Amino acid sequence: MGVGDQARKTLTVALDKGISVQQPTVEKYIARAKQRNPAANPSEVIVSLERQYLSAVIALGGASGASAAAPGVGTGVGLVVNI
């Protein structure tokens, strides 16, 4: 087994582990999206999840930016909000 093969195998194992850690959370989001609209087809569920994701990103960005505007507090709060 060459160095490239070993690196590929290591990367595959790491990605599989990362995906498996997030899988329960993703399944909950999908279940909630389907619960909100039981008649939704898969593409509609994806659109719903995209909207939810964008809303979360915008909210975190706004909170981070607002906290950064407060002198002395902004750096610490900005770091906490983005973690």
Side-chain angles (χ1 to χ4, degrees), residues 7-81:
R8 209 169 296 131
K9 183 178 178 182
T10 302
L11 178 61
T12 301
V13 169
L15 288 173
D16 285 344
K17 186 170 184 160
I19 290 169
S20 68
V21 168
Q22 296 297 323
Q23 186 173 354
T25 304
V26 171
E27 288 173 351
K28 287 179 188 176
Y29 279 115
I30 292 171
R32 274 190 246 151
K34 287 182 178 180
Q35 188 177 26
R36 276 188 233 122
N37 187 359
N41 62 36
S43 63
E44 292 170 334
V45 171
I46 290 170
V47 168
S48 172
L49 293 171
E50 287 174 343
R51 282 191 203 125
Q52 185 178 356
Y53 172 76
L54 286 174
S55 295
V57 168
I58 290 168
L60 284 172
S64 177
S67 65
V73 178
T75 303
V77 174
L79 287 172
V80 170
V81 168

